[in-house]
Amino acid sequence: MRFETRHPFGPALTVERHRLDNGLGVILLRDPAAPVVAYQTWFRVGSRHEAAGKTGIAHLFEHLMFNQTENLPAGEFDRQMELAGGETNAATWVDWTYYRDSLPADKLELAVRLESDRMRNLTLTDAQVDSEREVVCNERRLTVDDDVEGFLFEELYKLAFDHHPYHHPTIGWMEDIQGISTADARAFYRAFYAPNRATVVVVGDIDTETTLRLIATHYGPISPADVREPAAAPEPPQAGERRARFAKPVAAERAVYAYKAPAQGDADWLPLLAAAEILTGGQSSRLWRELVVEREVATSVSAAVTPFRDPGLCQIYVTLKRDGSCDAAEDAIDRAVAALAAAPPDAVELAKAKNRLETSFWSELDGVDGKAESLGHYETTLGDHRALFDAGRRLADVGAEDVRRAAAAYLVRDARTVVVVEPSGEPADDDEDDAA
């Protein structure tokens, strides 16, 4: 199967989409601006695909994929990439796991050979699983157990979702991580690390026909997996605000106010993103002006709308000064949200918010790595990379009434989850210079 998306990044650039007989998706974009290439492999597996009691296995497997294969000893993948002048990394989130290689264009064959090898020939031993499991346990201690912000957002999702697997953290619960066995890892590999669950994205100074033949030669013999992905349990509508408060060794209070938000592919996602930008985007935004500049009770306030496959959250995160109170911040948030839900923003405020969002959107497409990552995310999360190019047009079409309607529909107190962290009185671990 093949189709082309013409002129998405400019009149000289064309995105090609292919599919091999074994189900592997291939996205190619020739960008000859520099003699480099981004080679990324996106797997349709993340923490949402984990079974109860096995949380964290998707992230653990990201670590395991850098171990030995039937053809290469442990460490050889990284060594060959570094000798070729390349860099490699990986990431796991709720809906996907991806592996990225950045290297000189004339080393493309190396990336194809190494990545196809570990998709097909990874070896998993007790020693490897034990070693990487301990690495991940230490990572969890560092980024969640001993990190206030990591802890806060883990508790937020735990409280906000009752049924959907967004409830559990991508890094996994500690007890589950410690219980993952080698047999679990092997079963996970067979089920999810297969060509029919993956898309290879190649962007850079390439010849697309040569690249496709190279990929077909190395990946074509790999058999697809026979797996039926279970549907995620839908999250029922939230009836009533949910709240939690924790004491931690911090210098000042901080809180996150999270409202249920639509999936990234929903028509309301961009209007809600614009609403969040009007509330907290930049130092002239409504909440920044009131909380940070005028009342001087907070050091920062920001917002985000999760780019998830299924409905997620719109989060407003505020860090208070030492003498600031989350109660004061909450009152300001409630008033600002109510005002936006009652009356659309004026033309100047809307234009500023859309300009900031458009700048951010196109900045993420800068360079071959950014283009590849955006193509891979939209293909994997929304099911079609072409949604990436619709996003720019859809953002331009967002009107003031769209923003008001989204704020009224989603920024609802009865569907809100609030997590507050307050000083415990212990010496503060955070080193926020502005907290004083």
Side-chain angles (χ1 to χ4, degrees):
M1 179 184 73
R2 170 178 175 168
F3 59 74
E4 297 182 354
T5 306
R6 294 195 176 276
H7 313 326
F9 298 106
L13 302 180
T14 299
V15 179
E16 296 183 9
R17 174 71 156 87
H18 305 266
R19 188 174 300 280
L20 303 189
D21 291 341
N22 59 9
L24 179 72
V26 181
I27 294 177
L28 305 176
L29 171 60
R30 181 177 183 271
D31 182 354
V36 295
V37 65
Y39 191 98
Q40 300 183 4
T41 309
W42 288 75
F43 289 93
R44 291 185 295 278
V45 60
S47 53
R48 65 174 291 142
H49 300 93
E50 296 166 342
K54 303 297 181 184
T55 67
I57 192 169
H59 173 251
L60 172 63
F61 215 86
E62 173 199 320
H63 289 248
L64 291 169
M65 280 287 281
F66 287 90
N67 275 290
Q68 73 185 64
T69 71
E70 295 174 9
N71 301 312
L72 296 174
E76 187 64 14
F77 183 101
D78 286 333
R79 191 186 74 84
Q80 291 197 25
M81 276 289 182
E82 290 172 4
L83 285 174
E87 297 179 351
T88 184
N89 211 329
T92 307
W93 208 12
V94 293
D95 297 316
W96 44 253
T97 301
Y98 86 101
Y99 299 83
R100 55 176 295 172
D101 305 320
S102 305
L103 65 168
D106 62 357
K107 302 298 182 182
L108 173 63
E109 189 276 337
L110 174 67
V112 178
R113 176 168 53 83
L114 292 179
E115 291 292 356
S116 61
D117 179 51
R118 66 175 173 176
M119 181 188 286
R120 184 183 193 182
N121 299 313
L122 190 70
T123 61
L124 295 164
T125 66
D126 289 342
Q128 292 165 347
V129 174
D130 290 346
S131 175
E132 296 302 333
R133 187 195 303 114
E134 186 56 33
V135 169
V136 173
C137 286
N138 287 331
E139 182 181 346
R140 181 186 161 82
R141 294 182 185 104
L142 178 66
T143 62
V144 178
D145 300 344
D146 296 332
D147 182 82
V148 173
E149 187 170 297
F151 170 85
L152 185 152
F153 281 95
E154 179 174 282
E155 291 296 328
L156 171 68
Y157 280 79
K158 178 181 176 183
L159 187 59
F161 292 95
D162 286 331
H163 294 77
H164 195 283
Y166 291 160
H167 167 87
H168 65 260
T170 297
I171 200 167
W173 306 118
M174 181 67 85
E175 182 179 0
D176 290 353
I177 300 168
Q178 293 172 334
I180 295 172
S181 67
T182 304
D184 294 330
R186 289 171 178 163
F188 190 86
Y189 182 58
R190 289 193 300 270
F192 293 108
Y193 278 71
N196 56 323
R197 293 200 60 88
T199 300
V200 171
V201 184
V202 189
V203 178
D205 190 10
I206 60 171
D207 177 83
T208 57
E209 291 187 7
T210 300
T211 302
L212 183 60
R213 284 198 301 269
L214 188 62
I215 290 172
T217 297
H218 285 269
Y219 288 87
I222 305 176
S223 299
D226 182 16
V227 60
R228 293 171 180 81
E229 179 181 326
E235 186 69 22
Q238 184 171 327
E241 187 181 59
R242 302 172 185 174
R243 305 182 73 96
R245 180 178 286 265
F246 301 92
K248 287 286 183 178
V250 294
E253 291 187 0
R254 61 187 69 179
V256 60
Y257 299 84
Y259 307 82
K260 291 295 169 59
Q264 187 178 11
D266 191 282
D268 286 338
W269 192 83
L270 281 172
L272 184 60
L273 187 65
E277 186 69 22
I278 287 169
L279 291 172
T280 72
Q283 297 185 10
S284 62
S285 62
R286 297 184 183 188
L287 284 172
W288 187 283
R289 275 201 321 267
E290 177 170 358
L291 294 175
V292 180
V293 178
E294 296 171 2
R295 297 175 60 184
E296 298 183 341
V297 296
T299 62
S300 67
V301 59
S302 60
V305 183
T306 53
F308 291 173
R309 173 180 161 183
D310 291 340
L313 298 176
C314 175
Q315 305 161 178
I316 299 176
Y317 180 51
V318 59
T319 303
L320 283 298
K321 288 193 171 183
R322 290 183 189 273
D323 57 351
S325 165
C326 282
D327 293 337
E330 184 170 325
D331 177 66
I333 290 170
D334 287 343
R335 285 187 285 103
V337 165
L340 188 57
D346 63 34
V348 173
E349 190 175 34
L350 177 63
K352 181 186 66 176
K354 290 170 65 174
N355 288 341
R356 286 175 56 89
L357 290 173
E358 185 174 5
T359 298
S360 175
F361 174 78
W362 291 112
S363 295
E364 291 174 358
L365 302 178
D366 184 38
V368 295
D369 294 300
K371 291 181 178 69
E373 185 169 339
S374 293
L375 289 166
H377 169 80
Y378 276 80
E379 179 74 19
T380 306
T381 304
L382 276 67
D384 190 339
H385 74 274
R386 291 172 294 185
L388 168 65
F389 310 117
D390 290 339
R393 175 190 54 78
R394 288 172 52 212
L395 176 59
D397 290 342
V398 171
E401 177 58 24
D402 298 321
V403 174
R404 186 210 64 77
R405 179 183 50 77
Y410 296 99
L411 303 182
V412 178
R413 184 163 187 155
D414 281 348
R416 182 172 73 177
T417 302
V418 181
V419 179
V420 177
V421 169
E422 62 184 9
S424 64
E426 305 169 77
D429 288 339
D430 55 339
D431 57 351
E432 307 230 0
D433 295 335
D434 294 332

